Amino acid sequence: MPDKINRHLDIAPEVAAALRSGEAVVALESTIISHGMPYPRNAETAATVEATVRAAGAIPATIAVLHGRLKVGLSAAEIQHLGRQGQAAIKCSRRDLPLVVARGQDGATTVAATLLIAAMAGIRVFATGGIGGVHRDVEETLDISADLDELARNNVAVVCAGVKSILDIGRTLEYLETRGVAVVGYQTGNLPAFYSRDSGFAVEYRGDTAAEVAAIMQAQHELGLTGGLLVGVPIPEEYALDSAEIDGVINDALGEMRQRGITGKAATPFLLASIVERTGGRSLDANIGLVINNARVAAEIAVESSSGICGIRHIP
Ligand code: PSU
Ligand code: MN
């Protein structure tokens, strides 16, 4: 638990108790619920993800803004509320938080906003599906997700399924390097590509166990290096989609997005929904399968880093 709690922050009692006693906690984002998947599977998935974190011995803390309060740990009814709202909810990145708080509104937090709120609460591990990154037409749009800068700013490890090819994967890795964010392949030497297990882009580091990842977090902490860690976990084999097929679908979705002039914060939600439609829902099954797997891996990392020699809390 941080010494001073931000006056806009509400940490659920169960999460606060776990943080106080040094137990494992895993942060979860809420834009994946509102904008990342259709209702009702979004809310069902959020509940399954929380149950998965618990089964692996950690406490889940889904993060969102409700009535202008930064919430760390949501009730089942609050998750259902965000799921029902869907794209009508405000998608909140760092830049949106002051407005939503000042107006007392509800907002679903992206990886960027979830990261910074998790760090405020003192949570060190965060599970999601995919992060934002450098968009393919960045020369024209300058569209680089705020997720990347936020990874550089906060001491939180983000467990994801790599970078999907709606983004420019190579440039996303270059940008992370510039910002000092280490990228670890979990049981792989190549960055996973979300719907498929291998992007073809090598990562510098691989971690084969949760304990290895926890040790990297520990070293980062001891060195006093501000910034997070990106852990790329390949989608489980049984959910993986054929990469040539999904690349074709993504290209078609990108073409439609350009034609319709969709840009800015609407780009990623549009692409995800278009891909679900174009694959007849198979991309949604893949997305759900990988998110649940990431939640389990993140909980294992959180358990490792909260116990034994890797316990971050034990280091003065
Ligand atoms: N990728 C997914 N599902 C998601 C997102 C990304 O597979 O739900 C969401 C996350 O909340 C992420 C955000 O932080 O989209 C990135 O949006 P943008 O590209 O506008 O930064
Ligand atoms: Mn963007």
Side-chain angles (χ1 to χ4, degrees):
M1 283 285 277
D3 300 335
K4 245 177 111 198
I5 294 291
N6 188 287
R7 62 182 288 252
H8 297 285
L9 192 64
D10 288 336
I11 304 180
E14 183 193 26
V15 177
L19 288 169
R20 260 196 308 274
S21 61
E23 281 168 59
V25 176
V26 174
L28 301 162
E29 61 148 319
S30 47
T31 293
I32 190 177
I33 306 174
S34 59
H35 291 70
M37 294 179 189
Y39 183 79
R41 290 191 75 193
N42 55 4
E44 287 163 16
T45 302
T48 309
V49 163
E50 288 209 344
T52 304
V53 168
R54 284 185 199 282
I59 301 295
T62 302
I63 293 178
V65 186
L66 294 174
H67 304 298
R69 303 288 303 167
L70 309 184
K71 294 279 181 192
V72 177
L74 299 187
S75 68
E78 287 167 337
I79 287 175
Q80 189 68 19
H81 168 69
L82 283 173
R84 257 187 216 283
Q85 268 189 303
Q87 309 244 352
I90 300 173
K91 176 182 165 188
C92 286
S93 188
R94 167 182 277 261
R95 61 115 193 249
D96 306 283
L97 288 177
L99 292 97
V100 174
V101 167
R103 293 171 178 171
Q105 289 173 320
D106 292 349
T109 51
T110 63
V111 168
T114 306
L115 261 170
L116 78 87
I117 297 169
M120 272 183 190
I123 301 174
R124 309 297 298 263
V125 182
F126 169 10
T128 187
I131 58 158
V134 179
H135 281 260
R136 283 207 208 169
D137 48 2
V138 65
E139 298 94 329
E140 283 159 44
T141 60
L142 208 68
D143 192 347
I144 301 173
S145 175
D147 293 355
L148 302 185
D149 274 33
E150 218 54 57
L151 265 163
R153 281 195 185 108
N154 300 285
N155 305 339
V156 179
V158 176
V159 179
C160 71
V163 175
K164 66 178 77 56
S165 61
I166 62 170
L167 301 167
D168 187 317
I169 301 174
R171 284 171 170 161
T172 300
L173 286 171
E174 289 293 347
Y175 191 80
L176 287 168
E177 188 216 329
T178 301
R179 300 292 282 118
V181 178
V183 180
V184 179
Y186 194 73
Q187 298 171 350
T188 173
N190 281 358
L191 188 73
F194 198 81
Y195 300 116
S196 52
R197 290 174 60 85
D198 185 358
S199 69
F201 287 86
V203 290
E204 298 295 322
Y205 305 99
R206 93 177 250 166
D208 285 328
T209 62
E212 275 181 55
V213 177
I216 298 170
M217 290 171 64
Q218 173 91 7
Q220 191 177 27
H221 177 70
E222 288 172 21
L223 289 166
L225 296 176
T226 304
L229 197 65
L230 189 66
V231 182
V233 184
I235 180 172
E237 203 86 64
E238 65 266 37
Y239 297 108
L241 301 179
D242 178 71
S243 60
E245 186 203 347
I246 195 73
D247 280 350
V249 165
I250 286 170
N251 273 322
D252 293 346
L254 282 166
E256 187 186 344
M257 184 179 80
R258 286 190 197 110
Q259 206 178 11
R260 290 173 58 171
I262 294 167
T263 57
K265 73 194 286 190
T268 298
F270 171 81
L271 289 169
L272 292 171
S274 175
I275 294 166
V276 171
E277 203 177 299
R278 288 166 190 277
T279 58
R282 278 182 303 131
S283 73
L284 180 58
D285 295 333
N287 199 343
I288 293 170
L290 68 85
V291 170
I292 292 167
N293 187 54
N294 293 346
R296 178 185 54 78
V297 173
E300 289 168 4
I301 293 168
V303 166
E304 282 295 337
S305 67
S306 68
S307 64
I309 51 164
C310 290
I312 284 173
R313 70 203 160 97
H314 298 308
I315 300 300

